[in-house]
Amino acid sequence: MLMHSALLALSATLAAAVQPLEVKDEHFINPTTGNRFQIVGVAYQPGGSAGYDKEAGIDPLSDPDICLRDAALLQIMGVNTIRVYNVNPDVNHDKCASIFNAAGMYMVLDVNSPLVGDSLTSWNPWESYYAAYLNRTFAVVEAFKNYPNTLAFFSGNEVLNNEDTGATVPPYMRAVTRDVKNYIKNHSSRPIPVGYSAADVREILADTYHYFQCTLKGDDDNMSRGDIFALNSYSWCADSSFEKASYDDLVKIFTGTSAPVFFSEYGCNTPSPRIFTEVGTIYGPKMNTVFSGGVVYEYTQEENNYGLVEMKKDGSATLMKDFLSLTNQYSKLNFTELQGQKPASTSTTKPPACDSKLITSTGFSSNFTLPVLPPGAKEIIDGGVKPAPVGKLVEIKDWKVKFPVKNPDGSTITNLAVKPLADDTINSPGTNTESNTQEGTDTGTGTGTSSSPSPSVSKDAAVRPGAVVLPAVAMGAFAVVAGFAI
Ligand SMILES: *[C@@H]1O[C@H](CO)[C@@H](O)[C@H](O)[C@H]1NC(C)=O
Ligand SMILES: *[C@@H]1O[C@H](CO)[C@@H](O)[C@H](O)[C@H]1NC(C)=O
Ligand SMILES: *[C@@H]1O[C@H](CO)[C@@H](O)[C@H](O)[C@H]1NC(C)=O
Ligand SMILES: *[C@@H]1O[C@H](CO)[C@@H](O)[C@H](O)[C@H]1NC(C)=O
Ligand SMILES: *[C@@H]1O[C@H](CO)[C@@H](O)[C@H](O)[C@H]1NC(C)=O
């Protein structure tokens, strides 16, 4: 009793927290409910690569006003996870992490950045594998390990991208995975899954997956094995299909997986604007038993033209048509069903033992002798990063968005705010109905026809001023959720 009230007193000062998730066999699991978790994610790197600036001390999670604006919009979409590529362990992320936590969203973090010394290189990987590099990756672990909404770390992203790099990188990539996992084991109060985010290069994809998933003799507790496996895939373009987009081949590769597999990026942008018809397939019965969802690339509009939202330097933002199309597709999913699956208590899938027979493409490494730790690294794994930039949840006092945000037609959205969710609540479409959302009249967005999508915008006279004009399908889902709540 005493402990309970002490806990209550503690939690009263902070917003509620999401439940830290665990990996069990091939699933992400919420340990309190036993429910399987499916990633409904968006890649989050406002400012693109320039959004990470070591000297200026900025990264995508350093400005709480920006995070608040984006968390409110992502909450309306129904997103439950963001992927953040380039973080600086030495800047403070407490407010942004607390905002996304309160909004019911998890974070998948890359421990690397593209700057020299911040990642393993594709060419001559041994030249980039040294203690100062590892110290930085461990510092990222320190920075994020205490946030309950830290879902996973990527130990690498597309470091292997063709047959040449397949010949040399795998042992080094698996070694970095081992080192980050050892660091977490020594210095984190909970296990946080670590794995690799692969380029969808079909010639080497299966080999890459097998190389990172197999179990290695003499490897205590599978420390070098990936806890998860993810791929960046752009094979579904326009109004494609399971077969046409060769998603069927992906399902073949990963059926029977012993670790969670998901898309760490998807969302081909040719043609544009996008209609995101892959969403129904990714979360549908053909895929959702094998895949644990995916991450759409990407939140902000940058030069490469994959955005959902245009953001200006002054903090103002405008929703793009893609924002509405994706929101519409998410709204057609049954989240109660999707996030309520109870996996079998004992999994039948076991990873294979590492063996050169697992490797099928010529030239891909079948060398399972991993490099030993570089000089000086063992001391850091044992004694910890010094100083350790450990983050923590903090109180957020004001949930109102401070910047003007507009619909695609230029009308301003009013009352935009993050709605902090109750303890252990994951975001889904319909949680944030307090922000001004309004049904449009056009339901034609990406409903499966290949005609050019035309999301509802607020040109219609019937539309309430100041609303996010969501497609009618989305509003239908909101109504269903509200109905349950009453
Ligand atoms: C290790 O990382 C911490 C945190 O970023 C930093 O302060 C420290 O200088 C680094 N140490 C070395 C030896 O690179
Ligand atoms: C390695 O992982 C496999 C699959 O999870 C498990 O069966 C095996 O017991 C593990 N081995 C060790 C040494 O932890
Ligand atoms: C969603 O799935 C749940 C659980 O399977 C079911 O009870 C509910 O009727 C479904 N909702 C809709 C709108 O289909
Ligand atoms: C295998 O890789 C290790 C480094 O990880 C290296 O020392 C060893 O020489 C390689 N073996 C072969 C046969 O190439
Ligand atoms: C840290 O991990 C390494 C490798 O697993 C282990 O040998 C060492 O004893 C651990 N150190 C501490 C302080 O736990």
Side-chain angles (χ1 to χ4, degrees):
M1 275 313 275
L2 188 67
M3 205 165 119
H4 191 192
S5 50
L7 275 177
L8 277 179
L10 248 182
S11 61
T13 64
L14 287 175
V18 296
Q19 181 68 40
L21 301 181
E22 292 171 3
V23 164
K24 189 171 174 291
D25 304 314
E26 71 273 36
H27 303 301
F28 289 107
I29 297 285
N30 179 327
T32 55
T33 61
N35 286 347
R36 211 187 140 190
F37 173 76
Q38 306 247 17
I39 293 176
V40 180
V42 169
Y44 186 68
Q45 49 171 356
S49 50
Y52 169 73
D53 186 331
K54 239 180 185 170
E55 272 65 54
I58 57 164
D59 73 14
L61 298 173
S62 59
D63 185 335
D65 291 342
I66 300 281
C67 289
L68 194 67
R69 176 197 68 192
D70 298 336
L73 292 170
L74 289 161
Q75 202 174 30
I76 290 171
M77 296 185 82
V79 163
N80 63 27
T81 304
I82 54 169
R83 176 191 182 176
V84 189
Y85 296 80
N86 308 318
V87 292
N88 182 341
D90 292 315
V91 312
N92 191 310
H93 307 110
D94 288 350
K95 285 189 173 161
C96 280
S98 302
I99 288 165
F100 283 109
N101 163 67
M105 290 174 216
Y106 293 91
M107 306 181 290
V108 177
L109 303 142
D110 288 73
V111 296
N112 302 293
S113 100
L115 301 187
V116 174
D118 286 1
S119 52
L120 204 63
T121 51
S122 296
W123 297 100
N124 298 353
W126 46 90
E127 290 174 3
S128 53
Y129 184 59
Y130 45 81
Y133 158 63
L134 288 175
N135 181 72
R136 185 201 185 268
T137 73
F138 301 153
V140 173
V141 171
E142 288 290 355
F144 287 91
K145 68 181 186 185
N146 280 359
Y147 302 132
N149 56 332
T150 295
L151 177 61
F153 292 113
F154 284 135
S155 49
N157 178 53
E158 299 195 4
V159 187
L160 286 132
N161 42 31
N162 52 30
E163 290 185 355
D164 287 345
T165 50
T168 53
V169 173
Y172 287 88
M173 199 60 249
R174 194 161 162 142
V176 173
T177 304
R178 169 198 67 195
D179 302 342
V180 174
K181 283 177 67 170
N182 273 323
Y183 192 88
I184 291 171
K185 190 178 169 199
N186 279 5
H187 300 284
S188 170
S189 61
R190 69 173 170 107
I192 302 171
V194 181
Y196 178 68
S197 169
D200 183 6
V201 178
R202 292 294 163 93
E203 291 77 21
I204 60 166
L205 181 64
D207 285 346
T208 306
Y209 165 67
H210 287 306
Y211 190 98
F212 293 133
Q213 287 317 302
C214 63
T215 59
L216 206 47
K217 245 201 179 129
D219 181 14
D220 289 344
D221 297 331
N222 292 316
M223 290 314 280
S224 69
R225 182 173 169 263
D227 299 317
I228 55 176
F229 186 83
L231 65 153
N232 301 336
S233 181
Y234 292 89
S235 65
W236 183 303
C237 299
D239 189 27
S240 192
S241 72
F242 184 62
E243 290 81 16
K244 222 159 74 188
S246 65
Y247 275 14
D248 54 346
D249 291 334
L250 294 178
V251 166
K252 272 185 209 134
I253 293 175
F254 299 114
T255 292
T257 179
S258 56
V261 172
F262 59 97
F263 289 116
S264 37
E265 287 176 10
Y266 72 89
C268 167
N269 66 350
T270 328
S272 172
R274 298 179 280 182
I275 54 176
F276 291 113
T277 47
E278 64 266 56
V279 166
T281 300
I282 292 171
Y283 297 97
K286 282 182 181 153
M287 291 185 82
N288 79 20
T289 54
V290 177
F291 277 71
S292 295
V295 173
V296 168
Y297 189 83
E298 65 176 326
Y299 182 72
T300 48
Q301 175 74 338
E302 309 294 342
E303 266 169 29
N304 56 7
N305 201 34
Y306 282 90
L308 306 174
V309 175
E310 295 228 39
M311 101 173 187
K312 293 224 179 68
K313 283 225 159 58
D314 64 5
S316 66
T318 304
L319 308 187
M320 299 173 66
K321 287 183 175 181
D322 289 20
F323 179 100
L324 301 180
S325 304
L326 183 57
T327 303
N328 181 32
Q329 296 294 355
Y330 284 156
S331 72
K332 294 186 209 165
L333 306 174
N334 184 337
F335 274 70
T336 316
E337 193 173 1
L338 196 65
Q339 307 292 10
Q341 297 174 3
K342 302 256 189 251
S345 57
T346 51
S347 172
T348 51
T349 55
K350 285 257 175 286
C354 295
D355 188 297
S356 58
K357 286 198 207 72
L358 288 175
I359 305 302
T360 56
S361 65
T362 42
F364 196 95
S365 178
S366 56
N367 179 358
F368 291 103
T369 304
L370 306 187
V372 295
L373 278 173
K378 185 175 186 333
E379 289 74 5
I380 311 173
I381 295 182
D382 287 353
V385 169
K386 288 188 179 101
V390 186
K392 60 172 190 315
L393 290 188
V394 294
E395 191 187 357
I396 305 295
K397 294 207 176 72
D398 186 2
W399 300 101
K400 284 198 290 295
V401 173
K402 294 171 183 64
F403 303 116
V405 179
K406 291 182 172 150
N407 277 303
D409 73 343
S411 64
T412 299
I413 300 162
T414 54
N415 299 338
L416 190 60
V418 165
K419 184 186 174 196
L421 303 182
D423 246 338
D424 202 2
T425 308
I426 298 168
N427 188 51
S428 61
T431 53
N432 187 350
T433 46
E434 263 111 271
S435 286
N436 206 347
T437 54
Q438 165 90 30
E439 179 178 351
T441 50
D442 185 347
T443 58
T445 311
T447 45
T449 63
S450 55
S451 63
S452 79
S454 51
S456 347
V457 289
S458 52
K459 288 209 175 68
D460 188 329
V463 166
R464 169 163 38 94
V468 179
V469 186
L470 296 170
V473 185
M475 289 307 291
F478 285 4
V480 169
V481 174
F484 277 134
I486 288 162

